[in-house]
Amino acid sequence: MHPLFEYIKQYVTVSEEIFNNELKNSFIKKEIRKKEYFLIEGEICKNFCFIAKGAMHKYHTDDKGIEHVVNLFVENWWAGDRESFVKQTPSAYTVDAWEDCELYLINRENSTKLLKESSIFNEFILKLDEQHTISTQKRITSSLSLSAEKRYEDFVSNYPHFVQRFPQHIIASYLGITKDTLSRVRRKALKT
Amino acid sequence: MHPLFEYIKQYVTVSEEIFNNELKNSFIKKEIRKKEYFLIEGEICKNFCFIAKGAMHKYHTDDKGIEHVVNLFVENWWAGDRESFVKQTPSAYTVDAWEDCELYLINRENSTKLLKESSIFNEFILKLDEQHTISTQKRITSSLSLSAEKRYEDFVSNYPHFVQRFPQHIIASYLGITKDTLSRVRRKALKT
């Protein structure tokens, strides 16, 4: 079964036939190796990708050259930069493969076309955006209202697979806490 | 002209006739007074609202009883809690009127119906979600990568009207910085 079909049918009612006829050909399979770039800061995000296998991470580099991890992705996540993709402007982010990846890419033209022509794709994107809005609201609330300790606990309980696949300094950056704080929090968590 | 029509036509091509026939009746006008609640933590968010006049703020209360401002809203913004609205589960947020407000409310039933039946509404929500995704990504990146000083500068330059309408302690909470830090940053900004 096509991995994208398997994923999409969790969100919308769609037959394999409709998926094959309406959606499948708008996506191109691409394999990238660990450390290879999917998007480089300053370039236009021409494609969005569905991750069928592997892990990626997205970061922004500040004026001092420090990298700030803004997103972590594993299988069944979408990666790219929405602003750059929509407006076709240079991206403020870099996205690269943290592990070897199998991706399904869709470009802006195909995405716009599907949104206009396919009610299934439309319904799917609405659901995806809805879920995304809910999870980013939670992330913002947690960054404003929780201690570093509680943020890490929540992260481990919500995304246990991320802790296994990304190193501590990447998770610390994603959570907006220093590596030392994360080490302290982890040591404390192990003791209890 | 209906304030919602004026707003929606900035996003999608729609005539006043179609707006009146397809969309208008799904929204109910409601006026609420300053300090009145639109949503109370623990209750289900039965309606989402478009703010035609006034200002609102949304906050989460932590275990210690401290309120954390997660969103500020003025005219032409939408307020509510998406998760509670979509899943019909108790909300983790309170939304209240910071000034007297004129609102246009839509309930879950009407929203679901419009999404199914109105291609205009569908297109509009897609655009709104797109914009929302872009702005929350920016907010997360800024909270991870910028100093309190730069975050405040960006906030003033992006939302100058918010600075005029909300007091310092509310803006400090929204930016995730202490009131003292905000005072220091403001003093420094005034000197330069």
Side-chain angles (χ1 to χ4, degrees):
Chain A
M1 201 188 285
H2 194 294
L4 198 51
F5 172 61
E6 205 163 353
Y7 174 78
I8 287 179
K9 72 187 177 67
Q10 292 172 36
Y11 287 85
V12 288
T13 309
V14 57
S15 67
E16 195 156 7
E17 196 188 344
I18 291 184
F19 171 78
N20 288 338
N21 292 341
E22 274 191 29
L23 307 178
K24 195 179 160 186
N25 295 335
S26 294
F27 292 87
I28 293 168
K29 183 176 172 177
K30 190 178 177 184
E31 291 182 350
I32 65 171
R33 302 295 300 250
K34 186 177 172 171
K35 293 190 179 173
E36 208 176 313
Y37 291 112
F38 173 72
L39 172 68
I40 296 174
E41 195 168 331
E43 292 182 356
I44 289 168
C45 179
K46 291 182 183 161
N47 299 289
F48 235 81
C49 73
F50 171 75
I51 307 171
K53 276 185 202 158
M56 304 178 90
H57 92 313
K58 176 174 169 181
Y59 59 90
H60 169 69
T61 309
D62 70 18
D63 299 343
K64 292 174 187 156
I66 298 166
E67 291 174 6
H68 300 273
V69 178
V70 292
N71 290 106
L72 300 172
F73 310 105
V74 292
E75 292 83 6
N76 289 340
W77 288 61
W78 294 81
D81 173 18
R82 190 76 172 264
E83 181 169 22
S84 173
F85 185 70
V86 167
K87 300 180 182 169
Q88 295 284 293
T89 50
S91 177
Y93 304 96
T94 296
V95 180
D96 63 11
W98 193 262
E99 300 170 3
D100 293 348
C101 287
E102 180 188 313
L103 309 173
Y104 287 86
L105 274 55
I106 184 165
N107 63 28
R108 182 68 183 155
E109 197 186 338
N110 283 342
S111 160
T112 308
K113 197 164 173 273
L114 279 187
L115 280 174
K116 274 188 190 157
E117 295 169 7
S118 163
S119 62
I120 289 291
F121 189 71
N122 222 292
E123 194 188 338
F124 169 64
I125 295 297
L126 274 169
K127 292 251 173 89
L128 215 57
D129 279 347
E130 197 166 85
Q131 198 194 51
H132 183 74
T133 299
I134 291 170
S135 62
T136 49
Q137 175 79 79
K138 278 186 179 168
R139 187 172 169 196
I140 288 170
T141 304
S142 126
S143 83
L144 289 171
S145 64
L146 298 182
S147 63
E149 199 167 340
K150 191 75 179 68
R151 282 216 300 285
Y152 180 72
E153 272 174 30
D154 276 12
F155 181 77
V156 173
S157 107
N158 292 327
Y159 307 107
H161 43 288
F162 280 179
V163 182
Q164 289 149 16
R165 291 169 77 173
F166 293 97
Q168 277 194 54
H169 71 281
I170 294 292
I171 291 173
S173 176
Y174 172 85
L175 293 173
I177 56 184
T178 65
K179 206 181 154 186
D180 289 347
T181 304
L182 184 62
S183 299
R184 185 178 48 77
V185 166
R186 277 171 56 103
R187 273 199 305 276
K188 205 174 163 189
L190 286 171
K191 276 184 196 162
T192 54
Chain B
M1 199 187 286
H2 194 294
L4 198 51
F5 172 62
E6 205 163 353
Y7 174 78
I8 287 179
K9 73 187 178 67
Q10 292 172 36
Y11 287 86
V12 289
T13 310
V14 57
S15 67
E16 195 156 7
E17 195 189 345
I18 290 184
F19 171 78
N20 287 338
N21 292 341
E22 273 189 30
L23 307 178
K24 194 178 161 188
N25 295 336
S26 294
F27 293 87
I28 293 168
K29 184 177 171 178
K30 189 178 178 184
E31 291 182 351
I32 65 171
R33 303 295 300 250
K34 185 176 173 173
K35 293 190 179 173
E36 207 176 314
Y37 292 111
F38 173 72
L39 172 68
I40 296 175
E41 194 169 332
E43 291 182 356
I44 290 168
C45 178
K46 290 182 184 162
N47 298 289
F48 235 81
C49 74
F50 171 74
I51 306 170
K53 275 185 202 156
M56 303 177 92
H57 91 314
K58 176 174 168 180
Y59 58 91
H60 169 70
T61 309
D62 69 18
D63 300 343
K64 291 172 188 157
I66 298 165
E67 291 173 7
H68 301 272
V69 178
V70 292
N71 291 105
L72 299 172
F73 311 105
V74 291
E75 291 83 7
N76 289 339
W77 287 62
W78 293 82
D81 173 17
R82 190 76 172 264
E83 181 169 23
S84 173
F85 185 69
V86 167
K87 299 181 183 170
Q88 296 284 292
T89 49
S91 177
Y93 304 97
T94 296
V95 180
D96 63 11
W98 193 261
E99 300 170 4
D100 291 350
C101 287
E102 180 188 315
L103 309 173
Y104 288 85
L105 275 54
I106 184 165
N107 63 27
R108 181 68 183 155
E109 195 185 338
N110 283 341
S111 161
T112 309
K113 196 165 174 275
L114 279 186
L115 280 174
K116 276 189 189 156
E117 294 169 9
S118 162
S119 62
I120 290 290
F121 189 71
N122 223 291
E123 194 188 338
F124 168 64
I125 295 296
L126 274 169
K127 293 249 172 90
L128 215 57
D129 279 348
E130 197 166 83
Q131 198 194 51
H132 184 75
T133 299
I134 290 170
S135 64
T136 48
Q137 174 79 80
K138 279 186 177 165
R139 186 172 170 196
I140 287 170
T141 303
S142 125
S143 82
L144 289 171
S145 64
L146 298 181
S147 63
E149 199 167 341
K150 191 75 181 65
R151 281 216 300 285
Y152 180 71
E153 271 174 32
D154 276 12
F155 181 77
V156 173
S157 107
N158 292 327
Y159 308 106
H161 43 288
F162 280 179
V163 181
Q164 289 149 16
R165 291 170 77 174
F166 294 96
Q168 278 194 55
H169 71 281
I170 293 293
I171 291 173
S173 175
Y174 172 85
L175 293 173
I177 56 185
T178 65
K179 204 181 156 189
D180 289 347
T181 304
L182 184 63
S183 298
R184 184 178 49 77
V185 166
R186 278 171 55 104
R187 275 199 307 274
K188 206 174 161 187
L190 286 171
K191 276 184 197 163
T192 54

